[in-house]
Amino acid sequence: MDAGVPLIVDDFNGPKSLVETLTICGWENYIHQGRVTVTDPSPPFATQFVLDAMCPNIDVSAYLDITEFQNPNNPSETCISVVGLESGRGSDNPQTRESVILDACQDYDICPADGLSGTDRAQTGDDSFTCTPGSTVAAAGEFPAGQLEPGLREQPFRWTVTKFICLQYSGGRDQLDFTYKVSTSRTGQFGRNFL
């Protein structure tokens, strides 16, 4: 069983608000963009399928703080805590697995045709820079204008593909226990729905 969990923070300026944190124990593998190997030398097909879709050139460390630790209640079990670090908006949340998988890894680093990657995102801050169209610049790439999800069209890949983590568990489990936390909104105007 695989579960993809996108994590975001909704406010960039001032104190962080709506910071999402996922803590879960008993996983076998976790995969995200930039992590293209796991400890199992012969992972199950589903794991290898997702690994093959990840790009080694994508660094998620500015977007996700991932920490492994020993379960204090069961020392034989490893836990993971994942904290969203960077600003986001609902429109750039991935809605499908295809939204976090690139057709070609090099697209993540190709400057858009207009030479501008990103934009001023109002309450979430300015995340833009200029570059030479078609040149290779880390994290400059954007979703194509024909992207199926309207909120992602011509938006930087870095705003979406870096928010994905896939956790794998062994078969036969009848229950998973995890903690999902969202800090309060700084303004009190925003919230989160989770299911």
Side-chain angles (χ1 to χ4, degrees), residues 135-147:
S135 65
T136 300
V137 178
E142 293 184 346
F143 285 99
Q147 176 71 21

Side-chain angles (χ1 to χ4, degrees), residues 81-94:
S81 173
V82 184
V83 180
L85 299 176
E86 196 51 74
S87 63
R89 298 185 303 194
S91 63
D92 58 34
N93 284 342

Side-chain angles (χ1 to χ4, degrees), residues 63 87 89 92 107-108 110-122 124-131 137-143 151-160:
Y63 302 92
S87 63
R89 298 185 303 194
D92 58 34
D107 291 348
Y108 186 78
I110 300 297
C111 182
D114 65 359
L116 177 65
S117 178
T119 185
D120 183 348
R121 302 179 75 191
T124 60
D126 186 6
D127 180 11
S128 65
F129 56 88
T130 58
C131 47
V137 178
E142 293 184 346
F143 285 99
L152 301 181
R153 294 177 185 159
E154 297 180 315
Q155 300 300 310
F157 291 123
R158 67 184 177 272
W159 293 352
T160 302

